[in-house]
Short mmCIF file of all heavy atoms in Angstrom, two decimals:
data_model
loop_
_atom_site.label_atom_id
_atom_site.label_comp_id
_atom_site.label_asym_id
_atom_site.label_seq_id
_atom_site.Cartn_x
_atom_site.Cartn_y
_atom_site.Cartn_z
N GLN A 479 -14.95 -0.34 6.22
CA GLN A 479 -14.40 -0.48 7.56
C GLN A 479 -14.28 -1.96 7.95
O GLN A 479 -13.29 -2.39 8.54
CB GLN A 479 -15.28 0.27 8.56
CG GLN A 479 -15.24 1.78 8.40
CD GLN A 479 -16.30 2.48 9.25
OE1 GLN A 479 -16.93 1.86 10.10
NE2 GLN A 479 -16.50 3.76 9.02
N GLN A 480 -15.32 -2.73 7.63
CA GLN A 480 -15.32 -4.15 7.95
C GLN A 480 -14.23 -4.89 7.18
O GLN A 480 -13.56 -5.78 7.72
CB GLN A 480 -16.69 -4.76 7.63
CG GLN A 480 -17.81 -4.30 8.55
CD GLN A 480 -19.14 -4.90 8.16
OE1 GLN A 480 -19.35 -5.28 7.01
NE2 GLN A 480 -20.06 -4.97 9.10
N ILE A 481 -14.02 -4.51 5.93
CA ILE A 481 -12.99 -5.13 5.11
C ILE A 481 -11.61 -4.87 5.70
O ILE A 481 -10.77 -5.76 5.79
CB ILE A 481 -13.07 -4.59 3.66
CG1 ILE A 481 -14.34 -5.10 2.97
CG2 ILE A 481 -11.82 -4.98 2.86
CD1 ILE A 481 -14.69 -4.36 1.71
N ASN A 482 -11.37 -3.62 6.13
CA ASN A 482 -10.08 -3.29 6.74
C ASN A 482 -9.87 -4.06 8.05
O ASN A 482 -8.77 -4.54 8.33
CB ASN A 482 -10.00 -1.78 7.00
CG ASN A 482 -9.54 -1.01 5.79
OD1 ASN A 482 -8.39 -1.09 5.38
ND2 ASN A 482 -10.44 -0.25 5.21
N GLU A 483 -10.94 -4.16 8.81
CA GLU A 483 -10.86 -4.88 10.09
C GLU A 483 -10.57 -6.36 9.85
O GLU A 483 -9.71 -6.96 10.52
CB GLU A 483 -12.18 -4.72 10.85
CG GLU A 483 -12.18 -5.39 12.22
CD GLU A 483 -13.51 -5.19 12.95
OE1 GLU A 483 -14.20 -4.18 12.66
OE2 GLU A 483 -13.84 -6.04 13.78
N ALA A 484 -11.26 -6.95 8.87
CA ALA A 484 -11.05 -8.36 8.57
C ALA A 484 -9.63 -8.60 8.06
O ALA A 484 -8.97 -9.57 8.46
CB ALA A 484 -12.07 -8.82 7.52
N ASN A 485 -9.14 -7.73 7.20
CA ASN A 485 -7.79 -7.89 6.67
C ASN A 485 -6.74 -7.72 7.76
O ASN A 485 -5.74 -8.44 7.79
CB ASN A 485 -7.54 -6.86 5.57
CG ASN A 485 -6.14 -6.95 5.00
OD1 ASN A 485 -5.78 -7.94 4.38
ND2 ASN A 485 -5.33 -5.92 5.24
N GLU A 486 -6.99 -6.80 8.69
CA GLU A 486 -6.05 -6.57 9.79
C GLU A 486 -5.83 -7.85 10.59
O GLU A 486 -4.71 -8.15 11.01
CB GLU A 486 -6.61 -5.47 10.69
CG GLU A 486 -5.93 -5.34 12.04
CD GLU A 486 -4.47 -4.95 11.94
OE1 GLU A 486 -4.10 -4.32 10.93
OE2 GLU A 486 -3.71 -5.30 12.85
N VAL A 487 -6.89 -8.62 10.77
CA VAL A 487 -6.79 -9.85 11.57
C VAL A 487 -6.27 -11.02 10.74
O VAL A 487 -5.32 -11.69 11.12
CB VAL A 487 -8.17 -10.20 12.18
CG1 VAL A 487 -8.10 -11.53 12.91
CG2 VAL A 487 -8.63 -9.10 13.12
N LEU A 488 -6.88 -11.25 9.58
CA LEU A 488 -6.57 -12.46 8.83
C LEU A 488 -5.21 -12.39 8.13
O LEU A 488 -4.64 -13.42 7.80
CB LEU A 488 -7.67 -12.74 7.81
CG LEU A 488 -9.07 -12.99 8.39
CD1 LEU A 488 -10.04 -13.38 7.29
CD2 LEU A 488 -9.03 -14.08 9.47
N SER A 489 -4.69 -11.19 7.87
CA SER A 489 -3.38 -11.08 7.21
C SER A 489 -2.23 -11.25 8.19
O SER A 489 -1.08 -11.36 7.78
CB SER A 489 -3.26 -9.72 6.51
OG SER A 489 -3.31 -8.66 7.45
N ASP A 490 -2.54 -11.28 9.48
CA ASP A 490 -1.52 -11.48 10.51
C ASP A 490 -1.65 -12.92 11.03
O ASP A 490 -2.66 -13.26 11.64
CB ASP A 490 -1.73 -10.48 11.65
CG ASP A 490 -0.65 -10.56 12.71
OD1 ASP A 490 -0.37 -11.68 13.18
OD2 ASP A 490 -0.11 -9.52 13.09
N PRO A 491 -0.66 -13.77 10.79
CA PRO A 491 -0.77 -15.20 11.17
C PRO A 491 -1.12 -15.41 12.64
O PRO A 491 -1.95 -16.28 12.96
CB PRO A 491 0.61 -15.76 10.85
CG PRO A 491 1.14 -14.87 9.76
CD PRO A 491 0.61 -13.50 10.09
N GLU A 492 -0.53 -14.63 13.55
CA GLU A 492 -0.81 -14.80 14.98
C GLU A 492 -2.25 -14.41 15.31
O GLU A 492 -2.95 -15.10 16.05
CB GLU A 492 0.17 -13.98 15.81
CG GLU A 492 1.56 -14.59 15.91
CD GLU A 492 1.55 -15.98 16.55
OE1 GLU A 492 0.88 -16.14 17.58
OE2 GLU A 492 2.18 -16.89 16.00
N LYS A 493 -2.67 -13.26 14.78
CA LYS A 493 -4.04 -12.81 15.05
C LYS A 493 -5.05 -13.78 14.43
O LYS A 493 -6.09 -14.07 15.03
CB LYS A 493 -4.26 -11.41 14.49
CG LYS A 493 -3.48 -10.33 15.23
CD LYS A 493 -3.73 -8.97 14.61
CE LYS A 493 -2.94 -7.88 15.33
NZ LYS A 493 -3.11 -6.55 14.72
N ARG A 494 -4.74 -14.27 13.25
CA ARG A 494 -5.64 -15.21 12.58
C ARG A 494 -5.80 -16.49 13.39
O ARG A 494 -6.90 -17.03 13.53
CB ARG A 494 -5.12 -15.52 11.18
CG ARG A 494 -6.03 -16.44 10.38
CD ARG A 494 -5.44 -16.73 9.01
NE ARG A 494 -6.31 -17.57 8.21
CZ ARG A 494 -6.02 -18.03 7.01
NH1 ARG A 494 -4.85 -17.70 6.45
NH2 ARG A 494 -6.87 -18.81 6.35
N LYS A 495 -4.69 -16.96 13.95
CA LYS A 495 -4.72 -18.18 14.76
C LYS A 495 -5.63 -17.99 15.97
O LYS A 495 -6.44 -18.86 16.31
CB LYS A 495 -3.30 -18.52 15.20
CG LYS A 495 -3.17 -19.80 16.00
CD LYS A 495 -1.70 -20.06 16.35
CE LYS A 495 -1.56 -21.32 17.20
NZ LYS A 495 -0.14 -21.55 17.57
N LYS A 496 -5.51 -16.83 16.62
CA LYS A 496 -6.35 -16.55 17.79
C LYS A 496 -7.81 -16.40 17.39
O LYS A 496 -8.72 -16.86 18.09
CB LYS A 496 -5.86 -15.27 18.48
CG LYS A 496 -4.50 -15.42 19.14
CD LYS A 496 -4.02 -14.09 19.70
CE LYS A 496 -2.62 -14.22 20.30
NZ LYS A 496 -2.11 -12.91 20.79
N TYR A 497 -8.04 -15.74 16.26
CA TYR A 497 -9.42 -15.55 15.78
C TYR A 497 -10.07 -16.90 15.47
O TYR A 497 -11.22 -17.14 15.82
CB TYR A 497 -9.42 -14.67 14.53
CG TYR A 497 -10.77 -14.56 13.88
CD1 TYR A 497 -11.76 -13.72 14.41
CD2 TYR A 497 -11.08 -15.29 12.74
CE1 TYR A 497 -13.01 -13.63 13.82
CE2 TYR A 497 -12.32 -15.20 12.14
CZ TYR A 497 -13.29 -14.37 12.69
OH TYR A 497 -14.52 -14.28 12.11
N ASP A 498 -9.31 -17.77 14.81
CA ASP A 498 -9.86 -19.09 14.46
C ASP A 498 -10.21 -19.89 15.72
O ASP A 498 -11.15 -20.69 15.72
CB ASP A 498 -8.85 -19.88 13.63
CG ASP A 498 -8.73 -19.33 12.21
OD1 ASP A 498 -9.61 -18.57 11.79
OD2 ASP A 498 -7.75 -19.67 11.52
N LYS A 499 -9.47 -19.67 16.80
CA LYS A 499 -9.69 -20.44 18.03
C LYS A 499 -10.75 -19.81 18.92
O LYS A 499 -11.60 -20.50 19.49
CB LYS A 499 -8.37 -20.57 18.79
CG LYS A 499 -8.49 -21.43 20.06
CD LYS A 499 -7.13 -21.65 20.70
CE LYS A 499 -7.24 -22.53 21.94
NZ LYS A 499 -5.94 -22.75 22.59
N TYR A 500 -10.70 -18.47 19.07
CA TYR A 500 -11.56 -17.80 20.05
C TYR A 500 -12.70 -16.97 19.45
O TYR A 500 -13.49 -16.40 20.19
CB TYR A 500 -10.71 -16.90 20.94
CG TYR A 500 -9.73 -17.66 21.79
CD1 TYR A 500 -8.38 -17.70 21.45
CD2 TYR A 500 -10.14 -18.35 22.93
CE1 TYR A 500 -7.47 -18.40 22.22
CE2 TYR A 500 -9.24 -19.05 23.71
CZ TYR A 500 -7.89 -19.08 23.35
OH TYR A 500 -7.00 -19.77 24.11
N GLY A 501 -12.75 -16.86 18.11
CA GLY A 501 -13.84 -16.11 17.51
C GLY A 501 -13.84 -14.65 17.91
O GLY A 501 -12.81 -13.97 17.90
N LYS A 502 -15.01 -14.14 18.30
CA LYS A 502 -15.16 -12.72 18.61
C LYS A 502 -14.32 -12.27 19.79
O LYS A 502 -14.05 -11.08 19.96
CB LYS A 502 -16.63 -12.39 18.88
CG LYS A 502 -17.22 -13.05 20.12
CD LYS A 502 -18.71 -12.72 20.25
CE LYS A 502 -19.35 -13.40 21.46
NZ LYS A 502 -18.80 -12.94 22.73
N ASP A 503 -13.87 -13.20 20.62
CA ASP A 503 -13.07 -12.85 21.80
C ASP A 503 -11.57 -12.98 21.54
O ASP A 503 -10.77 -12.99 22.48
CB ASP A 503 -13.46 -13.75 22.97
CG ASP A 503 -14.91 -13.59 23.37
OD1 ASP A 503 -15.34 -12.43 23.49
OD2 ASP A 503 -15.59 -14.60 23.53
N TRP A 504 -11.16 -13.04 20.27
CA TRP A 504 -9.76 -13.34 19.95
C TRP A 504 -8.79 -12.32 20.53
O TRP A 504 -7.66 -12.66 20.88
CB TRP A 504 -9.58 -13.42 18.44
CG TRP A 504 -9.64 -12.07 17.75
CD1 TRP A 504 -10.74 -11.45 17.26
CD2 TRP A 504 -8.54 -11.20 17.51
NE1 TRP A 504 -10.41 -10.24 16.72
CE2 TRP A 504 -9.07 -10.06 16.87
CE3 TRP A 504 -7.17 -11.24 17.78
CZ2 TRP A 504 -8.27 -8.98 16.49
CZ3 TRP A 504 -6.37 -10.17 17.40
CH2 TRP A 504 -6.91 -9.06 16.76
#
Side-chain angles (χ1 to χ4, degrees):
Q479 292 171 11
Q480 291 178 336
I481 291 165
N482 275 291
E483 182 179 334
N485 179 66
E486 166 64 26
V487 176
L488 298 185
S489 63
D490 184 310
E492 283 301 314
K493 292 180 180 177
R494 183 181 182 183
K495 183 179 178 182
K496 292 175 183 177
Y497 173 77
D498 287 344
K499 183 174 181 180
Y500 295 103
K502 65 183 178 65
D503 298 313
W504 73 270

